């Protein structure tokens, strides 16, 4: 079980005692969930010209995606390649949220099925939730025609009576499921990018020996499967903390 991710940092000397992606001046922050069964009937579907995606309203996370233009094989009626998977035995999900926010209710969406229509270039999926203490969270996913990148914008508004301190996080939780590919040159594991080293592959074995614990500007982190990957790529140039936990 591996969960690499990134979170914003506030000081250049930040060094966490564990994998907890918390800001150094917020010692009471709770750790984001690392790995949990995500099979749920409370999902919404997003369909574009290149993607079929499911989002779990219990968490607001991306829990399934298949690539419509890439079949698993050349056989007739072959199913599309699947990247994200909410099945606990093959778990591979894109998680995001805020620390120090306890939700007792699911996220809300205006539709159960979102469909990119002919002539429509972008499709916005907005999820909203409010904690018992009045912290309003909004997640907006933007899907673009013919594009495989999904933009995520998260916002927080404190409507409660008490001050709130926390931060945003993004992470990928994935089980180490052996690959069934016959192509020996394909890679199955994690990868990380920084200006110093634009592309570094990290095997599951390496992750079990030593956790990722780096502060990087203009980087990204990913989990790879043969020929495809899922990555969090920050839009900011601000230094971020990258971590892993097995």
């Amino acid at each position: 079980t591996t969960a690499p991710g990134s979170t914003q940092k506030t000081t250049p000397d930040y060094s966490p005692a564990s994998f907890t992606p918390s800001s150094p001046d917020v010692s009471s922050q709770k750790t984001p969930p690392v790995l949990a069964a995500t099979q749920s009937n409370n999902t919404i579907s997003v369909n574009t010209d290149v993607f079929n995606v499911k989002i779990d309203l219990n968490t607001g996370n991306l829990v399934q995606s298949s690539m419509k233009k890439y079949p698993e094989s050349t056989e007739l009626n072959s199913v599309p390649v699947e990247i994200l998977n909410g099945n606990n035995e093959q778990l591979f999900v894109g998680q995001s949220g805020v620390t120090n926010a306890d939700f007792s209710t699911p996220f809300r969406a205006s539709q159960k099925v979102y469909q990119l229509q002919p002539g429509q270039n972008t499709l916005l999926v907005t999820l909203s939730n409010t904690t018992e203490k009045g912290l309003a969270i909004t997640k907006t996913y933007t899907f673009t025609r013919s594009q495989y990148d999904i933009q995520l914008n998260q916002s927080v508004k404190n409507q409660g009576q008490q001050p709130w301190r926390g931060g945003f996080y993004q992470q990928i939780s994935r089980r180490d499921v052996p690959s069934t590919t016959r192509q020996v040159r394909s890679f199955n594991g994690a990868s990380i990018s920084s200006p110093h080293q634009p592309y570094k592959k990290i095997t599951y074995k390496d992750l079990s020996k030593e956790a990722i614990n780096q502060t990087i500007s203009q980087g990204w982190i990913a989990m790879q499967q043969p020929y495809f990957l899922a990555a969090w790529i920050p839009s900011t140039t601000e230094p971020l903390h990258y971590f892993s936990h097995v």
Side-chain angles (χ1 to χ4, degrees):
T1 299
T2 306
S6 64
T7 185
Q8 292 187 3
K9 63 179 286 291
T10 57
T11 62
D13 59 349
Y14 172 47
S15 180
S18 67
F19 71 95
T20 306
S22 58
S23 301
D25 61 340
V26 190
S27 58
S28 63
Q29 285 190 164
K30 294 183 178 180
T31 304
V34 173
L35 189 67
T38 56
Q39 288 178 294
S40 169
N41 293 325
N42 192 17
T43 61
I44 59 174
S45 299
V46 184
N47 305 312
T48 75
D49 59 324
V50 296
F51 269 137
N52 287 326
V53 173
K54 285 189 177 181
I55 301 173
D56 185 357
L57 290 181
N58 292 330
T59 59
N61 293 330
L62 297 164
V63 296
Q64 186 176 341
S65 68
S66 57
M67 306 176 71
K68 297 168 70 172
K69 296 185 177 182
Y70 290 89
E72 284 190 349
S73 73
T74 57
E75 296 179 1
L76 185 64
N77 298 324
S78 176
V79 298
V81 168
E82 190 171 67
I83 304 284
L84 303 180
N85 189 330
N87 185 313
N88 196 41
E89 297 301 317
Q90 299 178 310
L91 197 64
F92 189 174
V93 296
Q95 299 170 300
S96 60
V98 296
T99 56
N100 279 0
D102 295 320
F103 297 104
S104 58
T105 59
F107 279 83
R108 299 179 299 276
S110 61
Q111 303 170 216
K112 287 291 291 183
V113 178
Y114 290 79
Q115 178 71 50
L116 186 70
Q117 300 296 333
Q120 183 181 7
N121 288 323
T122 58
L123 179 62
L124 271 62
V125 178
T126 299
L127 312 177
S128 59
N129 206 339
T130 304
T131 68
E132 293 181 353
K133 295 182 179 180
L135 193 67
I137 313 295
T138 301
K139 288 187 180 185
T140 301
Y141 292 99
T142 301
F143 298 81
T144 304
R145 180 174 296 279
S146 302
Q147 299 297 313
Y148 289 94
D149 60 309
I150 304 170
Q151 296 182 28
L152 169 65
N153 181 69
Q154 299 186 94
S155 64
V156 179
K157 184 177 182 180
N158 188 2
Q159 301 173 336
Q161 301 300 315
Q162 299 297 322
W164 172 82
R165 303 182 73 184
F168 298 103
Y169 70 87
Q170 299 84 37
Q171 61 189 27
I172 303 170
S173 290
R174 186 186 185 194
R175 290 199 183 282
D176 180 7
V177 179
S179 172
T180 57
T181 179
R182 298 180 180 179
Q183 301 298 321
V184 295
R185 294 192 179 187
S186 60
F187 178 68
N188 194 41
S191 55
I192 192 168
S193 174
S194 67
H196 174 69
Q197 191 170 6
Y199 177 63
K200 179 182 179 181
K201 294 190 293 186
I202 307 172
T203 65
Y204 286 108
K205 184 177 180 180
D206 289 339
L207 286 172
S208 66
K209 291 179 179 179
E210 183 178 4
I212 298 171
N213 183 9
Q214 300 182 44
T215 296
I216 302 173
S217 298
Q218 297 179 301
W220 51 259
I221 200 163
M223 293 298 290
Q224 294 186 217
Q225 66 187 58
Y227 312 118
F228 299 95
L229 61 79
W232 283 114
I233 306 176
S235 59
T236 179
T237 58
E238 178 183 0
L240 301 177
H241 173 231
Y242 290 77
F243 69 95
S244 68
H245 176 68
V246 176

